[in-house]
Amino acid sequence: MFLSFTFSSYVSTIGYEVLHNCPITELVCNVDNSCSIGSLGKLYYLSSISGSRANNNSLIIGNKILAFAHKSNTKIFTVPEYVTHIADYAFANCNLESMVLHGNLYVGSNAFDGASIGNLNIPCSVRLGYNTFNSCKADKVFIDMYRIEAAPED
């Protein structure tokens, strides 16, 4: 099964969970960086992200990561410093050897739902949404629990 979905440059708004549970394998995104965005939802079959907003098998619009192609061969992912928000379900079901987060970051609800991550380091200033790591499996996780706090949902 192969299903491609394209957000053209004419798209100005992407709502909340607009593609949740759709059997999309390829996502093409050419929207402007000023596009108003919510989240894409859980994309179980996503193996390829391309277009003007693609970055290391992830979809980044403005300062927000919307999706990660978890069926791709990418095994190490570093969140770019300019990203301040990881959307709900963005890394759901991903399989990574290593994930690097930086400090000025809000991680949305269920962002890592069902994910498998070898090494994960979460700086103390990261803010977490509801069920951020629901059913997530990680080999090594370092979290500074003293200063981390749950953030209200967007």
Side-chain angles (χ1 to χ4, degrees), residues 31-77:
V31 301
D32 186 80
N33 236 2
S34 63
C35 179
S36 173
I37 51 175
S39 67
L40 298 181
K42 201 176 224 183
L43 300 171
Y44 289 102
Y45 306 101
L46 192 59
S47 60
S48 172
I49 296 176
S50 61
S52 62
R53 299 292 153 226
N55 181 329
N56 192 23
N57 283 311
S58 68
L59 174 60
I60 302 176
I61 299 176
N63 62 355
K64 189 175 194 177
I65 296 177
L66 284 176
F68 177 75
H70 62 274
K71 297 279 186 186
S72 69
N73 291 326
T74 301
K75 294 298 175 195
I76 298 173
F77 188 85

Side-chain angles (χ1 to χ4, degrees), residues 12-13 22 29 39 49 54 59-60 62 64 66 68 75 78 95 101 108 116 119-120 136 148:
S12 61
T13 302
C22 289
C29 188
S39 67
I49 296 176
L59 174 60
I60 302 176
K64 189 175 194 177
L66 284 176
F68 177 75
K75 294 298 175 195
T78 300
N95 184 6
L101 304 177
S116 177
N119 295 306
L120 177 62
C136 180
I148 206 161

Side-chain angles (χ1 to χ4, degrees), residues 4 6 26 48 62 73-74 98 103-104 107 115 128 136-137 141 144 150:
S4 179
T6 300
E26 177 186 37
S48 172
N73 291 326
T74 301
S98 179
N104 183 29
V107 183
L128 303 176
C136 180
K137 299 172 197 91
V141 178
D144 185 350

